[in-house]
Amino acid sequence: MTMLETFFEGRGVLNALLYSLGNRRRHLDRAITYLGRAVRSGQPDPLVLAVLGNGLWMRYERTGDVEDLEAAIRRGRQAVAVPGVEEGQRAGNLADLAAPLRARFHRYGRLADIDEAVAVAAEALRATEDPATRAVALTNLAAARHSRYLSTADRADVLAAVEGAREAVSLTGPRHHSHALRLHVLAEALASRFVNTDDVRDLDEAVTAGRRAVGARKLFDHSRARYADNLGTIYRLRFGVTGEVADLDAAIAAGELAVSRTGDRPDRVVFLGNLAASLWLRGRARDDTGDLRRAVAAAERAVAATPEDGTNRPLVLHNLSMITATLYDRTSDMAALGRSEQAAEAALAALDPRHPFRGLALTRLAMVQLRRPDAGAAARANLRTAVELPVPTLTLQHALQAAIQLGELGAEAGNREDAVLGYGGAVALLPAAAWPGLSRSIREDRLAGATEAASAAAAFADPVRAVELLELARSVMWSQQLDRRGDLDRLRAVAPALADRLTEIRAWFERPDPESPLNPGFGGSSPPG
């Protein structure tokens, strides 16, 4: 390395340090410029490449400039590929590379990027025992698996994200500069796990983690804005369980904080959309058209600011459709109904045919169409498509809603085929809706309407199909119990450790309900690790 390159490297690292301390854009720009000059030699230092890659990714987070994002990934890959690098340093470079790969996934929605982010973060984790590097790798791996879950609905990803984020938090003291980030990642993952478990303890833990993240000292405005936005979403979810308007008040306060602190950064769109959702829920809860109109205004601003090819555009349009439909319900304003239908159609058109959000978008469009007296056939057609989709759905709640609604509409119209497809589809979803990772009481709640749906389907089905539906509805939990009763003797003979592990998991699945008087104080909502 020449003296000039050494000078550039030193100036670059100094400005990177100054940026980390003060969040001033000029220091970030200078760091990138100097480090870029320092790595022009034939054999650049992998550590300098990694610092440069991180700086480019941070600038992308501020500006949304895709050239910075592509350069960040290119430099990160170069840092990983340099031969002869000490294993611990390479592990750190691998962990860092996961962040811009995840960012590019969010930009374009390409699964290859998020798969690579998961792979490099997992490789980093396997390659190091250093607590600091492991904490970075665990955080980026948890964030990447959570992002992949949101696109694929693979439950294994969200369960792993919670455990990884929890371990990352445990490795980081409260005074560490990344402690708030790791709490934020944990809160996000817990909120998504709640969607699968209906376990309010996940939400309570998420609120606690989210509040600690937002309240952390020495946070830059943008970080606080991101954490506040996530906290608002969690409060909104908890309102769905508690019905307490105080949770919505807290969600709106968090959303307003997020919007006010984000400036003109690209994710302002997301924050506006989430604030609109919170205002919409409070408007419904209080029958307050003022909140509803504020929600429409915020949602329209979010749509206007979202790129046509933005990966979150379908969700932003979906939210606008829900809000304007509610405004129509309260005011009978036909313009609001027209805007709701238009937004729902645009959300559906923006989705890839195999995206797990598609079933929800079809159901949303059908629910809007049912507000028009002449659109029942079109609504039934959309629900039929939603029920027949071969892809997973992000929320079983909406999958069940679509199936039951189709069954009811088919029954009202005397359409035997739609009635059987809808009610039968609802019954077929029950094993997934009552998956054995849930506590017994939650599984029983989810199965409570099974017999009713099966009976309704049986009224339209042929006798053999009717018996099949009724038996499936009644046998879900018994089948789960029998599936866990297999003899492990043959497995124990060849792999005793694995047999012990399965026995341990079997015991966890058969645990008493947390609120059972036979098991006071039982804790833990994940299988043993």
Side-chain angles (χ1 to χ4, degrees):
M1 180 179 289
T2 67
M3 289 183 61
L4 187 58
E5 288 166 349
T6 302
F7 168 77
F8 287 145
E9 179 182 320
R11 296 289 291 180
V13 171
L14 173 62
N15 276 279
L17 177 61
L18 290 172
Y19 176 72
S20 70
L21 295 174
N23 199 37
R24 295 179 184 271
R25 170 69 185 275
R26 67 175 183 271
H27 291 139
L28 181 59
D29 290 340
R30 290 172 184 167
I32 291 170
T33 299
Y34 284 124
L35 292 172
R37 292 172 181 171
V39 300
R40 287 177 185 169
S41 63
Q43 292 184 324
D45 185 332
L47 181 59
V48 176
L49 283 167
V51 174
L52 176 56
N54 280 336
L56 288 160
W57 166 65
M58 290 175 187
R59 191 163 69 181
Y60 165 76
E61 290 284 289
R62 292 187 69 127
T63 67
D65 186 340
V66 294
E67 290 186 7
D68 278 342
L69 179 59
E70 296 299 334
I73 293 171
R74 186 170 63 253
R75 294 303 190 185
R77 285 174 172 163
Q78 287 176 333
V80 169
V82 173
V85 177
E86 187 270 325
E87 192 67 24
Q89 182 182 328
R90 186 173 184 275
N93 295 345
L94 283 164
D96 288 342
L97 176 58
L101 285 167
R102 176 172 172 258
R104 191 166 71 177
F105 166 72
H106 284 295
R107 180 81 181 205
Y108 299 114
R110 295 193 292 254
L111 279 175
D113 282 331
I114 200 63
D115 287 342
E116 185 180 355
V118 170
V120 297
E123 184 180 350
L125 195 59
R126 291 191 297 270
T128 182
E129 294 299 325
D130 174 64
T133 306
R134 285 185 65 82
V136 175
L138 283 163
T139 302
N140 287 349
L141 179 57
R145 296 199 71 166
H146 180 250
S147 293
R148 189 167 67 178
Y149 160 75
L150 293 177
S151 185
T152 66
D154 185 342
R155 186 182 291 138
D157 274 333
V158 74
L159 297 178
V162 170
E163 298 311 315
R166 188 174 279 139
E167 185 179 350
V169 170
S170 73
L171 291 172
T172 310
R175 295 182 179 275
H176 192 280
H177 64 88
S178 292
H179 190 63
L181 168 64
R182 287 158 194 171
L183 287 165
H184 162 72
V185 172
L186 174 60
E188 277 190 319
L190 284 164
S192 289
R193 190 171 73 172
F194 163 77
V195 174
N196 280 280
T197 64
D198 283 349
D199 190 336
V200 72
R201 291 174 300 172
D202 278 344
L203 285 183
D204 290 339
E205 185 181 352
V207 166
T208 299
R211 290 179 64 178
R212 288 172 61 195
V214 173
R217 299 175 59 191
K218 298 182 179 180
L219 276 182
F220 298 131
D221 277 353
H222 180 57
S223 296
R224 201 178 302 278
R226 285 171 52 215
Y227 305 164
D229 173 72
N230 184 50
L231 179 59
T233 298
I234 297 165
Y235 273 124
R236 199 163 62 243
L237 280 172
R238 195 167 71 171
F239 165 77
V241 178
T242 66
E244 294 288 340
V245 177
D247 277 335
L248 290 180
D249 293 339
I252 291 168
E256 289 173 338
L257 173 63
V259 171
S260 70
R261 294 293 183 93
T262 197
D264 58 355
R265 288 178 182 252
D267 46 12
R268 180 179 175 83
V269 171
V270 177
F271 301 167
L272 280 168
N274 287 334
L275 174 59
S278 298
L279 286 164
W280 165 67
L281 283 174
R282 192 172 72 177
R284 287 202 318 173
R286 292 179 172 171
D287 200 17
D288 184 343
T289 56
D291 270 346
L292 291 176
R293 294 189 187 282
R294 287 178 62 201
V296 169
E300 290 283 15
R301 288 164 62 198
V303 169
T306 305
E308 288 290 332
D309 61 347
T311 56
N312 66 330
R313 186 171 180 81
L315 179 59
V316 174
L317 287 162
H318 172 86
N319 287 345
L320 176 60
S321 177
M322 287 196 303
I323 295 164
T324 47
T326 304
L327 184 61
Y328 164 77
D329 293 339
R330 298 295 190 272
T331 64
S332 300
D333 182 349
M334 292 302 295
L337 180 59
R339 182 61 176 132
S340 178
E341 191 167 4
Q342 180 188 44
E345 289 171 344
L348 182 60
L351 287 168
D352 181 272
R354 293 193 60 80
H355 197 286
F357 190 72
R358 191 169 179 81
L360 178 57
L362 285 161
T363 306
R364 160 68 6 217
L365 178 56
M367 295 300 102
V368 175
Q369 290 170 330
L370 286 173
R371 289 169 166 84
R372 297 186 184 276
D374 58 346
R380 238 179 28 250
N382 283 318
L383 289 170
R384 191 182 309 121
T385 303
V387 171
E388 293 178 329
L389 282 176
V391 298
T393 179
L394 283 180
T395 67
L396 285 164
Q397 172 191 353
H398 291 102
L400 286 167
Q401 179 190 15
I404 292 171
Q405 187 72 57
L406 176 61
E408 291 176 351
L409 290 173
E412 290 173 6
N415 187 309
R416 174 181 173 277
E417 183 179 351
D418 281 352
V420 173
L421 177 63
Y423 285 129
V427 174
L429 284 168
L430 293 174
W435 66 290
L438 304 176
S439 69
R440 185 180 183 89
S441 63
I442 292 174
R443 280 184 286 159
E444 289 172 346
D445 286 343
R446 288 192 172 187
L447 291 170
T451 303
E452 182 179 345
S455 299
F460 292 89
D462 61 77
V464 173
R465 179 62 173 149
V467 171
E468 289 175 349
L469 290 169
L470 287 167
E471 285 303 309
L472 176 59
R474 295 190 308 185
S475 66
V476 171
M477 292 185 70
W478 281 113
S479 297
Q480 291 171 354
Q481 292 281 6
L482 290 172
D483 286 345
R484 295 196 295 272
R485 291 297 91 202
D487 189 354
L488 298 181
D489 287 345
R490 292 175 62 189
L491 176 62
R492 193 175 302 282
V494 294
L498 182 57
D500 289 344
R501 169 77 170 136
L502 287 174
T503 300
E504 187 181 7
I505 292 173
R506 181 184 281 175
W508 181 84
F509 275 133
E510 296 171 359
R511 69 200 185 282
D513 188 276
E515 297 180 0
S516 167
L518 299 176
N519 188 37
F522 179 85
S525 54
S526 300

